[in-house]
Amino acid sequence: MTCMRCLPVLGALGVVWAQIGAAARARASELAMQQAKAAAAIDWGGVLWAIIWIETIAILLLSARLIQLVVRYTGYDPFASWDRDRANMRLWMAVGAVGIALAIWGAFKYAPFTLPESASLHGRDIDSLRSFTLSFTFPAFVLVHALLFYMIWRYYNGKSQRAAYELTHHGLERGALIAISIPVFIIAAWGIYVWSKPVHGQAPSEGQRSLEIEVVAEQFQWRARYPGADGKLGRYHYTLIGGENVLGLDFTDPKAQDDILPTLKEIHLPVGALVTIHVRSKDVLHSLFLPHFRTHIYAVPGQKNQVMFVPTITTKEMRRKLGDPEFDYELACNQLCGGAHYNMRMKVVVETWEEYQQWLSQQKPAYTPPAAVTSLKPNLNL
Amino acid sequence: MATSLTRTQVRLHPKELILWLYLATTAMLFAGFSSAYLVQRFSEYWKTFSIPSLFWLNTAILLLSSVTWHWGYQGHRRGNPWQLQLGLMATLSLGVIFLIGQVMGWQMLVKQGFFLAGNHKAVSYFYVLTGLHAVHLVAGLIAVGYWTYKALRYQVDAQGSLGLRLAGIFWHALDGLWVYLIVFLQVNQLL
Amino acid sequence: MATHLGTAVQVASHQDAHHHDHHHKESFWTKYIFSQDHKTIAKQFLLTGFTAGFIGILLSGIFRLQLAYPDVSFPFLETILGKWAPEGRLDPNFYMALVTMHGTILVFWLLTGGLSGTFANLLIPLQLGARDMASPFLNMLSFHFFFWGTVVLFASFFVETGPAAAGWTVYPPLSALPQSMPGSGLGMILWIIALVLFVVGVLMGGLNYITTVLNMRTRGMSPMRMPLVVWALFTVAVLGLLSFPPAVAAFILLLFDHSLGTSFYLSDIYIAGQALPQQGGNVLLYLHLFWFLGHPEVYIVLLPALGIASELISTHARKPIFGYKVMVYSILGIAFVSFIVWAHHMFVSGMNPLLGSIFTATTLLVAIPSAMKIFNYIFTLWKGRIHLNTPMLFAIGTVSFFISGGLTGFFLGVAPMDIPLHNTYFVVGHFHLVMGVSAVFAMFGGTYHWFPRLWGRMMNERLGYIHFWLTFIGANLVFFPMYYMGFGGVPRRYYAFTEFAFTSKWQDLNVFITIAAIVTILGQLIFIYNFFYSMFYGKKAPRNPWKATTLEWSAPVEHLHGNWPGKLPVVHRWAYEYSKPGAPADFIPQYISDEDIARGVRWWEEDFDPSTVIDREEPTEGEKLAVAPETAPSPALSINQKPEPSLPEAGQ
Ligand code: HEM
Ligand SMILES: [Cu+2]
Ligand SMILES: [Cu+2]
């Protein structure tokens, strides 16, 4: 804290500055009033605010300087009697206690904001694994921090006068190793077990309906494709994209001719069925993110990805459970794909099989055959 | 703790160690490319092509340049500046001939309709890998050129011979890298 | 000091013999810009890294503003950003550019180049008792590549289409197709060039660090006597050497796809009304190559930070680091495992599910050495005498953030749990706490701790406390709530959370985070003020202000070229001899031998001159050979001091 010479200069500058500030403010408001009528080209209000800001900062800085000045010339230092270590120790205790309390409070406060219970079968496994992991990590977070804070409280310089010469302690090290290894192995094993289910190894159970649909990503929207009466999705190739044929379907393939592209931006899924979504992208990476179903897979151009899941709760039921009549399942893009990435939304509706069938029957197939051929294809579900 | 005076230092000159570590990074660079190559090699779009035999001639030239280097360096060790000059000049010229040969090889490929751009990945990788090798080789040529210049002016003294040796290691490594590349690329066309 | 300047240089070995003789007169350029002195290069890295880092953090202030107030217009944004914020509303494409530059700058420039560059350059030669790096010239080049990389990176803000905007991971095809977003035009090319320059710089540094550690330790400095920070920096250099080149390969292929029409990553693309001819490319290939670097990169950031924390905690708790061997093996273990976990970034990319299981197992393995390190830090504090000064506060902060961030790795590292969390704010919270803030705190702590070594002055402690508490509280308030948002499924890299019902619920919390972030960012001004003020007006530092044991404190406060005015120190003990029972002080520096203790050397006194001990040592074989018979006074010694030719020695 030297630089004595700057002090008077700064002090004088401060006074001058305050004068200039006051004058400028007066002048600015005067002008602002004049300009208000004459449709100002300059935003005088903004200038005013800028001045006020600068002045505030200057006053803050000057006050800091002033305190230093007082300290220097009177020799009075309000903090001189502070015990650095004790003060910081107390701050650790206070900040630590408040911090941990806040973390716990936040967990309760924001629990209702987090995703509701899983609306898919495999999601329940994920959620129980997550609860288990949380029941280890949250206490561990609190305990390890408590241990850290205890050390600060017990051994800060002042309370502790001399450190011990302690190089290591085999029992402690071994204990720590075991303490961390157990959760690691449990969580890893459980995780691998759960992982083996959702992605592969799902087959429809007895009497379970199954459904294969396709969801295609592009900048910046989703499109869905449903199989027609044959239950099969037809061929496509990206070079065929263009005009009406937004998905590049190959209409020489009969399986493609009856495929259905829903008109509204919605996906409808029957509850309880094993749904397979084939995911592809027309341009860049996207990601099919269905948070309520704990389902997530990249849409990769040139790669055929798919996910499987079983929706278990209809939209109506979920609305009732949450007490929110507006609730909807949502499909989001979760891999950066450009400027409007944040805006790639599609509504997902889970409903009963009957409702689903009814909705499907209202949709039109993608393929409008040339007039002459129409008669050859009578079963187009129109 | 008792004073232990054991020296565990690596018995290499620091500069030489730096060079070997640098060669390790280069190896990792090409390992990266090779693994990318192998990943794509097994895709359904993979096509092969036949590498012009000129590249094998170039291989021989580059190998020869390592031999001439070694011969020259032996001369230097035996205190024969003349042999060093000759060896280095031969290496330099063979290196330049190799580069010219590479350019000619690329031109042959272009004439056959194999371009860098496009979907023929074996060809694209071929250009990328041989091109990067050529870039490294230019650096090698600069090193060799520098030492040739020094040798011609009889300025390679005892101190300088470390630099000379390092330049040699670098040159041999580029040679080895090329042999690896051409064998790797060729084998992947045959299998 | 003056007496030492006049004495002869005793060159340690023939290795550095030849760079001692061409520094007779140093101009501004050779002294500050093209310096080959490792201490000056450390300062250069520190200043460049901090400058870039501060700009990077300011960028986050801008995009946080957007996230909190997506529908408010901020006219000042138009003033500073021009066309990227028409009418005070941030352009979505530019939002992505800000996020991308923020991530790139902080991960690569501040916490890789800045952190390792500064402390490896400063500490490796000084703590190992070497006169300089193995190759000072390469060291200089290393900084210059880093610097020009910085220039290119920032230049991309001024190109017509804006800087790269595909995220710091620059995944193709977004990054490879200029028609997909403006940032993928020239900005992307500049990004790649900047990164390649950066990598070259980092690798040149790394070659030097490794060689110096392997080859230039002073007598008695066996590997198990090295300070942990040197172990960490050494390991990190090896990590970089093995992992950066494949990433460069990935970037080169990306550049070819971007500009030269190849199809390494591109396939089946229909964009902007046009089907591209490229077929058969493989996007996942890029992801694999990138994360083969990307994950070790996380530890390249983290390990030096933990190494610094080891030094600070041991020194300021006046207690030997607990479980030194376990610490060393943990560093090596983490480094090894970090190479076999990369695909945990790709669990939902559609790769073979079997890989998901394998990488779950390897990923959780990292938890073990990491947790051991945490426990050892806490046990080091146990029964210590904890001096809660600024460096120590920051070191404890590092440990605290490492706990808060590290534990959530359990969620992200397990494939099924990662499904709903991948790319959400949970990830943002996780990596900011565990590697971002934790490493930044270590860097701050290290700066406060080694500032006297760098600039010969102390930083102001009181401002340090204010800075610490503000930043510690602020960073927790910014990043901890992101975990809750992550459990709500809120995706990252979103320009606004207004479009989805499940994201718009969090608006209040977003406002809170933004306010906390802006206060925290402004709080860094205290540090900047303290840093520059102390550089010129700080209290003059004694030679060993923290009463530490390591060798860097045995060299004179003034920077000498060659570090020690006389002989090199010889090491007689490990780096953590604190509070040894029976010793006359609570620390015994590494260069003090038992005979010195018996002789009654009083090293703990403020005006003790270590040279009196160091220069008594028997010269080594190498030194005997190298010392020139005529010990002519060499004015070349001083780099930061004008040579004083008219020393009144003759008259005495
Ligand atoms: C006050 C300081 C900081 C704030 C407020 C902040 C805030 C943020 C936010 C909100 C994001 C996510 C943006 C989005 O997904 O839309 C982000 C991304 C990121 N931040 Fe920070 N950050 C800060 C400091 C740091 C530091 C110190 C690091 C160093 C590791 C860092 C590294 C990153 C990285 C790597 C990303 C990812 C960029 C990407 O998604 O491509 N940040 N930051
Ligand atoms: Cu998208
Ligand atoms: Cu990782």
Side-chain angles (χ1 to χ4, degrees):
Chain A
M1 301 290 151
T2 52
C3 186
M4 311 277 274
R5 268 157 304 154
C6 341
L7 289 179
V9 180
L10 265 178
L13 268 184
V15 179
V16 175
W17 179 249
Q19 293 303 316
I20 296 176
R25 193 161 34 181
R27 176 77 184 128
S29 47
E30 201 178 294
L31 280 174
M33 272 187 287
Q34 283 175 13
Q35 299 284 324
K37 296 159 202 155
I42 304 171
D43 171 18
W44 287 104
V47 173
L48 201 65
W49 272 110
I51 291 172
I52 291 174
W53 270 109
I54 294 172
E55 232 182 293
T56 313
I57 293 170
I59 287 172
L60 278 178
L61 288 178
L62 281 175
S63 327
R65 254 321 186 199
L66 203 68
I67 293 174
Q68 283 182 358
L69 261 169
V70 171
V71 168
R72 176 155 314 116
Y73 289 113
T74 62
Y76 168 69
D77 181 350
F79 303 105
S81 62
W82 270 38
D83 175 346
R84 172 195 74 186
D85 299 288
R86 176 141 16 101
N88 275 321
M89 181 277 289
R90 289 193 173 147
L91 272 169
W92 271 113
M93 296 305 114
V95 171
V98 173
I100 290 182
L102 265 179
I104 297 173
W105 173 80
F108 286 103
K109 162 111 199 304
Y110 290 106
F113 289 62
T114 57
L115 292 173
E117 73 174 283
S118 168
S120 72
L121 207 53
H122 74 267
R124 293 186 197 158
D125 293 344
I126 294 179
D127 283 6
S128 33
L129 173 57
R130 183 201 267 181
S131 308
F132 172 79
T133 311
L134 202 57
S135 73
F136 156 69
T137 54
F138 215 114
F141 163 73
V142 174
L143 281 180
V144 180
H145 266 103
L147 203 61
L148 181 67
F149 297 148
Y150 167 78
M151 298 303 174
I152 297 172
W153 171 75
R154 176 63 188 77
Y155 298 108
Y156 75 93
N157 172 32
K159 190 157 179 171
S160 165
Q161 293 300 334
R162 183 166 180 92
Y165 187 72
E166 192 108 26
L167 297 185
T168 184
H169 185 294
H170 294 294
L172 270 180
E173 295 276 21
R174 221 167 290 151
L177 189 63
I178 294 169
I180 184 65
S181 303
I182 291 173
V184 163
F185 285 113
I186 295 178
I187 293 172
W190 190 343
I192 291 171
Y193 170 70
V194 174
W195 175 248
S196 64
K197 293 203 292 182
V199 203
H200 43 122
Q202 283 201 52
S205 51
E206 272 295 308
Q208 189 183 23
R209 294 196 165 89
S210 64
L211 168 70
E212 293 199 19
I213 66 170
E214 183 187 55
V215 175
V216 183
E218 69 182 65
Q219 286 180 328
F220 295 95
Q221 60 181 317
W222 298 98
R223 294 177 196 275
R225 174 159 68 115
Y226 281 73
D230 59 358
K232 298 236 162 56
L233 292 164
R235 266 202 314 264
Y236 61 85
H237 195 266
Y238 81 103
T239 47
L240 299 175
I241 300 175
E244 295 281 283
N245 191 357
V246 286
L247 293 187
L249 300 189
D250 178 358
F251 291 122
T252 60
D253 177 11
K255 284 197 289 241
Q257 288 176 354
D258 63 350
D259 284 355
I260 294 166
L261 308 190
T263 35
L264 277 178
K265 285 186 65 184
E266 284 179 9
I267 295 178
H268 285 240
L269 299 173
V271 69
L274 176 61
V275 180
T276 305
I277 303 187
H278 296 268
V279 186
R280 67 177 156 114
S281 162
K282 278 159 70 169
D283 37 43
V284 300
L285 274 184
H286 299 264
S287 183
L288 173 108
F289 184 41
L290 293 162
H292 303 94
F293 304 95
R294 315 292 187 259
T295 291
H296 197 175
I297 187 92
Y298 283 12
V300 185
Q303 182 176 315
K304 292 173 180 167
N305 279 357
Q306 63 177 62
V307 275
M308 288 178 163
F309 63 101
V310 182
T312 51
I313 304 176
T314 61
T315 301
K316 281 196 195 122
E317 223 176 309
M318 196 55 128
R319 285 180 178 169
R320 212 182 47 246
K321 282 190 178 189
L322 298 175
D324 175 5
E326 307 274 88
F327 174 84
D328 268 318
Y329 295 121
E330 292 175 298
L331 161 62
C333 178
N334 201 356
Q335 179 56 256
L336 175 55
C337 60
H341 165 57
Y342 71 101
N343 198 6
M344 272 180 71
R345 178 178 187 271
M346 185 129 146
K347 192 166 110 181
V348 179
V349 179
V350 179
E351 52 202 4
T352 61
W353 180 255
E354 293 71 35
E355 289 166 325
Y356 166 70
Q357 281 296 321
Q358 203 204 335
W359 170 79
L360 196 63
S361 64
Q362 290 161 2
Q363 310 300 318
K364 294 197 186 74
Y367 180 55
T368 358
V373 199
T374 316
S375 52
L376 298 176
K377 302 273 174 197
N379 56 344
L380 280 184
N381 226 359
L382 277 169
Chain B
M1 300 224 168
T3 310
S4 113
L5 295 181
T6 45
R7 288 179 65 93
T8 41
Q9 263 83 335
V10 176
R11 293 249 161 254
L12 268 183
H13 190 279
K15 296 233 162 71
E16 185 169 352
L17 187 55
I18 288 183
L19 180 67
W20 283 109
L21 291 169
Y22 164 72
L23 292 177
T25 63
T26 313
M28 280 309 288
L29 178 70
F30 283 90
F33 280 115
S34 305
S35 59
Y37 189 98
L38 288 177
V39 167
Q40 301 212 308
R41 190 197 171 308
F42 295 101
S43 89
E44 52 182 314
Y45 288 93
W46 186 261
K47 284 179 295 201
T48 55
F49 72 110
S50 68
I51 297 174
S53 43
L54 178 59
F55 285 102
W56 284 100
L57 183 64
N58 288 344
T59 310
I61 291 172
L62 199 60
L63 281 174
L64 189 63
S65 79
S66 263
V67 174
T68 55
W69 174 284
H70 194 70
W71 179 73
Y73 186 65
Q74 287 303 326
H76 170 66
R77 302 251 314 244
R78 272 185 256 107
N80 185 348
W82 175 81
Q83 192 174 335
L84 178 68
Q85 289 167 352
L86 211 63
L88 281 176
M89 284 195 301
T91 310
L92 193 64
S93 348
L94 287 172
V96 172
I97 293 172
F98 172 83
L99 272 188
I100 295 171
Q102 293 290 86
V103 174
M104 282 165 59
W106 293 327
Q107 279 172 345
M108 283 166 77
L109 278 176
V110 169
K111 280 213 197 83
Q112 293 172 26
F114 291 125
F115 301 109
L116 168 71
N119 291 329
H120 199 317
K121 286 185 194 52
V123 174
S124 299
Y125 273 112
F126 186 87
Y127 280 113
V128 171
L129 288 171
T130 55
L132 268 180
H133 175 264
V135 171
H136 282 81
L137 202 90
V138 170
L141 279 179
I142 292 173
V144 175
Y146 173 77
W147 285 106
T148 315
Y149 173 78
K150 294 272 268 195
L152 288 177
R153 311 189 77 199
Y154 298 96
Q155 283 175 348
V156 188
D157 51 10
Q159 257 222 355
S161 76
L162 172 72
L164 182 64
R165 195 157 59 83
L166 298 188
I169 295 175
F170 185 49
W171 190 257
H172 292 320
L174 291 176
D175 198 359
L177 177 65
W178 173 255
V179 173
Y180 162 73
L181 282 180
I182 190 76
V183 170
F184 177 80
L185 293 167
Q186 183 69 61
V187 164
N188 275 297
Q189 303 318 315
L190 297 179
L191 291 181
Chain C
M1 255 336 297
T3 51
H4 286 288
L5 281 177
T7 56
V9 201
Q10 289 175 348
V11 181
S13 64
H14 64 289
Q15 294 150 12
D16 28 348
H18 51 265
H19 68 250
H20 268 270
D21 34 9
H22 30 224
H23 285 284
H24 289 292
K25 214 171 191 174
E26 281 179 321
S27 66
F28 170 81
W29 291 95
T30 49
K31 193 164 158 188
Y32 295 111
I33 309 296
F34 295 105
S35 170
Q36 300 195 12
D37 184 274
H38 70 102
K39 300 175 290 293
T40 309
I41 296 173
K43 292 180 189 176
Q44 290 173 329
F45 270 108
L46 187 68
L47 289 173
T48 317
F50 266 145
T51 310
F54 192 70
I55 295 173
I57 285 181
L58 282 181
L59 301 184
S60 75
I62 299 177
F63 63 70
R64 269 308 330 174
L65 217 52
Q66 157 65 27
L67 289 181
Y69 308 104
D71 38 19
V72 177
S73 153
F74 294 99
F76 81 91
L77 286 183
E78 189 169 10
T79 321
I80 54 178
L81 301 178
K83 70 170 175 181
W84 294 115
E87 291 165 14
R89 310 290 282 273
L90 204 58
D91 177 277
N93 279 306
F94 197 67
Y95 175 93
M96 294 326 311
L98 288 175
V99 172
T100 303
M101 296 304 269
H102 166 82
T104 308
I105 291 170
L106 286 160
V107 172
F108 290 118
W109 264 262
L110 179 70
L111 294 179
T112 305
L115 182 66
S116 281
T118 305
F119 291 105
N121 269 304
L122 177 69
L123 296 181
I124 288 180
L126 274 170
Q127 289 196 330
L128 297 183
R131 299 250 179 235
D132 205 316
M133 284 287 178
S135 168
F137 178 71
L138 205 59
N139 213 19
M140 174 190 82
L141 279 188
S142 150
F143 171 73
H144 282 264
F145 273 93
F146 175 70
F147 181 79
W148 287 106
T150 319
V151 171
V152 173
L153 188 76
F154 281 103
S156 70
F157 272 108
F158 301 100
V159 302
E160 177 68 26
T161 47
W168 76 280
T169 49
V170 294
Y171 284 175
L174 186 61
S175 56
L177 300 175
Q179 57 272 56
S180 66
M181 72 192 309
S184 297
L186 185 56
M188 192 60 223
I189 297 181
L190 291 179
W191 189 95
I192 293 180
I193 294 174
L195 243 91
V196 170
L197 289 173
F198 165 86
V199 170
V200 172
V202 166
L203 288 181
M204 284 178 167
L207 300 180
N208 245 325
Y209 310 153
I210 298 173
T211 308
T212 311
V213 172
L214 286 181
N215 232 346
M216 300 181 64
R217 280 171 282 129
T218 185
R219 186 148 52 109
M221 182 62 87
S222 61
M224 280 308 187
R225 283 176 173 180
M226 295 197 310
L228 284 172
V229 66
V230 174
W231 268 107
L233 290 165
F234 170 74
T235 313
V236 158
V238 177
L239 278 185
L241 201 138
L242 297 177
S243 66
F244 272 114
V248 170
F251 295 149
I252 290 175
L253 295 183
L254 179 59
L255 193 60
F256 275 89
D257 272 6
H258 180 283
S259 308
L260 297 171
T262 52
S263 60
F264 298 113
Y265 306 132
L266 305 180
S267 188
D268 296 26
I269 291 168
Y270 178 90
I271 193 165
Q274 212 186 353
L276 303 185
Q278 279 95 340
Q279 271 187 298
N282 186 343
V283 178
L284 260 52
L285 170 64
Y286 175 85
L287 269 65
H288 280 294
L289 286 173
F290 179 84
W291 285 112
F292 185 79
L293 155 82
H295 192 83
E297 166 64 22
V298 174
Y299 290 98
I300 291 176
V301 167
L302 196 65
L303 286 177
L306 294 182
I308 291 173
S310 310
E311 297 309 295
L312 305 196
I313 287 179
S314 176
T315 305
H316 299 294
R318 315 307 296 160
K319 191 158 170 280
I321 195 86
F322 192 88
Y324 176 85
K325 276 194 184 152
V326 176
M327 293 297 242
V328 172
Y329 297 143
S330 298
I331 292 176
L332 298 178
I334 289 176
F336 172 73
V337 178
S338 74
F339 273 109
I340 49 172
V341 301
W342 77 89
H344 62 212
H345 299 272
M346 303 165 59
F347 283 142
V348 301
S349 66
M351 67 176 184
N352 186 341
L354 190 63
L355 291 178
S357 306
I358 296 171
F359 281 95
T360 298
T362 55
T363 300
L364 283 204
L365 227 49
V366 178
I368 295 175
S370 309
M372 292 311 287
K373 288 191 81 77
I374 292 290
F375 282 124
N376 279 331
Y377 290 131
I378 293 179
F379 292 145
T380 305
L381 296 177
W382 178 51
K383 295 194 201 166
R385 181 182 177 188
I386 306 171
H387 292 255
L388 289 170
N389 47 24
T390 322
M392 185 59 155
L393 291 178
F394 276 98
I396 297 176
T398 297
V399 175
S400 165
F401 284 119
F402 191 56
I403 301 168
S404 314
L407 278 167
T408 54
F410 276 98
F411 297 88
L412 298 171
V414 176
M417 278 194 282
D418 188 47
I419 296 174
L421 293 176
H422 178 65
N423 267 356
T424 63
Y425 264 78
F426 196 83
V427 178
V428 179
H430 165 75
F431 74 70
H432 274 96
L433 288 175
V434 76
M435 84 156 182
V437 196
S438 159
V440 168
F441 267 52
M443 195 165 171
F444 279 140
T447 309
Y448 281 102
H449 184 86
W450 279 292
F451 195 85
R453 190 57 277 218
L454 280 164
W455 275 283
R457 292 172 186 274
M458 309 295 288
M459 283 182 81
N460 185 298
E461 279 275 308
R462 283 182 187 167
L463 289 179
Y465 304 144
I466 302 176
H467 175 223
F468 169 76
W469 285 110
L470 208 117
T471 316
F472 182 75
I473 297 171
N476 270 305
L477 292 182
V478 170
F479 296 114
F480 205 87
M482 290 185 184
Y483 287 145
Y484 304 134
M485 290 173 64
F487 274 171
V490 180
R492 75 195 265 215
R493 294 174 175 170
Y494 264 30
Y495 167 70
F497 300 124
T498 47
E499 307 301 312
F500 291 84
F502 74 97
T503 59
S504 55
K505 288 194 264 196
W506 297 90
Q507 204 48 40
D508 291 348
L509 192 58
N510 269 313
V511 172
F512 175 80
I513 291 179
T514 295
I515 293 172
I518 288 174
V519 172
T520 314
I521 292 170
L522 289 181
Q524 305 316 304
L525 293 174
I526 300 176
F527 174 78
I528 296 179
Y529 171 78
N530 193 352
F531 188 87
F532 287 106
Y533 182 87
S534 307
M535 212 153 117
F536 297 106
Y537 306 111
K539 206 171 72 194
K540 279 242 189 278
R543 196 186 275 224
N544 187 356
W546 313 113
K547 307 214 174 302
T549 55
T550 36
L551 292 185
E552 76 270 30
W553 304 107
S554 69
V557 175
E558 295 79 8
H559 283 184
L560 303 184
H561 193 69
N563 293 339
W564 283 271
K567 292 182 187 163
L568 287 177
V570 174
V571 168
H572 296 280
R573 54 192 76 244
W574 74 325
Y576 298 100
E577 205 81 306
Y578 289 106
S579 301
K580 190 166 193 182
D586 71 349
F587 71 111
I588 310 178
Q590 288 186 279
Y591 57 86
I592 297 285
S593 67
D594 290 345
E595 299 89 83
D596 293 328
I597 302 179
R599 208 153 52 79
V601 172
R602 304 171 71 79
W603 64 84
W604 56 91
E605 287 174 351
E606 190 122 302
D607 55 357
F608 168 69
D609 181 356
S611 313
T612 55
V613 172
I614 293 171
D615 289 345
R616 279 169 58 99
E617 296 283 350
E618 287 280 301
T620 61
E621 300 299 310
E623 283 163 340
K624 275 185 201 147
L625 287 178
V627 170
E630 80 294 307
T631 45
S634 161
L637 256 181
S638 146
I639 180 161
N640 271 359
Q641 269 204 339
K642 285 215 179 74
E644 295 166 66
S646 55
L647 286 175
E649 266 178 355
Q652 286 171 351

